[in-house]
Amino acid sequence: SQTIHQWPATLVQPVGSPLSLECTVEGTSNPNLYWYRQAAGRGLQLLFYSVGIGQISSEVPQNLSASRPQDRQFILSSKKLLLSDSGFYLCAWSVVKAPVGETQYFGPGTRLLVL
Amino acid sequence: QKEVEQNSGPLSVPEGAIASLNCTYSDRVSQSFFWYRQYSGKSPELIMSIYSNGDKEDGRFTAQLNKASQYVSLLIRDSQPSDSATYLCAARAWNNDMRFGAGTRLTVKP
């Protein structure tokens, strides 16, 4: 069965510091991968998605970037964090399930607090 | 206009009652719809998916879809305190673009 891991689980960082969040998927190959952010009491905002190694699409302009160095590894980074980067960061992978189509499953998430 | 809209709640129901969660979407090309349950401090967990008009039942959960009215709902029968969570509605378009609602917070009171 497929599992998705994220770390760290929680992170407190000062404004202006760098960021690296990691997501890995097990039990599948060439998955579509996604990074979402969920601000407190808000919906999910898609940040990046990737359909393969080195292929990254950005949904919103921001000071974040993403990379996919390996098939089942997805990394979210920032060179300088802003207060507004605080939130719950979720990695997701998707699988095509007939007949409903592409279905997304979420990792456990990383809670980031920027002070 | 938001693409996927949900009443933020909180929706409060007594234990054993039916909880009804509603969602509307504005994109007529949305093809499949999903309900996720999110406990406080945890990540969303998929509980139901539906792609055709009508009802789909899975245990105590029933998803209902009406594409003409652009409306999807989730019914939870025999609600339990463990069902207390935020329920996210999501719509996926033909190009696999997925949009999420902000969620409805459900509280089931013993």
Side-chain angles (χ1 to χ4, degrees):
Chain A
S1 64
Q2 299 86 357
T3 56
I4 180 168
H5 304 278
Q6 287 186 247
W7 63 88
T10 59
L11 193 58
V12 181
Q13 291 284 97
V15 169
S17 64
L19 174 75
S20 180
L21 302 181
E22 189 164 343
C23 168
T24 60
V25 182
E26 296 178 357
T28 186
S29 58
N30 197 30
N32 288 347
L33 296 173
Y34 306 82
W35 277 113
Y36 288 89
R37 177 171 58 203
Q38 186 177 38
R42 305 282 294 276
L44 294 172
Q45 178 187 30
L46 179 63
L47 302 175
F48 300 95
Y49 70 93
S50 172
V51 299
I53 296 174
Q55 301 178 65
I56 309 294
S57 296
S58 174
E59 286 292 302
V60 292
Q62 60 219 326
N63 68 322
L64 300 172
S65 62
S67 62
R68 186 167 175 176
Q70 300 180 42
D71 180 46
R72 287 170 285 179
Q73 184 185 32
F74 204 19
I75 296 173
L76 183 69
S77 304
S78 174
K79 292 182 179 178
K80 286 187 176 182
L81 283 169
L82 307 172
L83 287 174
S84 58
D85 291 324
S86 294
F88 192 33
Y89 287 82
L90 292 157
C91 181
W93 70 283
S94 67
V95 62
V96 176
K97 302 182 80 171
V100 74
E102 187 168 322
T103 302
Q104 292 187 15
Y105 296 90
F106 290 90
T110 294
R111 194 161 301 279
L112 172 66
L113 179 60
V114 182
L115 300 175
Chain B
Q1 182 183 9
K2 293 182 180 178
E3 293 168 311
V4 179
E5 291 203 54
Q6 297 180 253
N7 187 323
S8 63
L11 172 66
S12 182
V13 300
E15 183 174 356
I18 296 175
S20 178
L21 304 163
N22 304 315
C23 173
T24 58
Y25 59 96
S26 60
D27 183 357
R28 290 190 172 274
V29 299
S30 292
Q31 293 190 327
S32 298
F33 304 86
F34 305 84
W35 283 100
Y36 290 82
R37 177 176 61 199
Q38 186 174 22
Y39 291 115
S40 180
K42 302 296 184 182
S43 64
E45 171 194 13
L46 179 68
I47 54 173
M48 289 285 288
S49 62
I50 188 167
Y51 74 102
S52 60
N53 280 324
D55 295 358
K56 179 183 177 182
E57 187 174 318
D58 184 0
R60 295 187 296 111
F61 299 99
T62 299
Q64 299 175 317
L65 175 61
N66 184 325
K67 289 188 176 180
S69 300
Q70 295 178 231
Y71 176 93
V72 59
S73 65
L74 179 70
L75 301 178
I76 307 175
R77 290 181 300 281
D78 188 23
S79 295
Q80 302 296 310
S82 58
D83 294 325
S84 298
T86 295
Y87 289 81
L88 306 178
C89 172
R92 185 183 61 78
W94 63 272
N95 61 353
N96 287 328
D97 188 24
M98 191 91 136
R99 299 298 177 188
F100 289 83
T104 298
R105 187 157 57 93
L106 171 67
T107 300
V108 180
K109 295 187 175 181

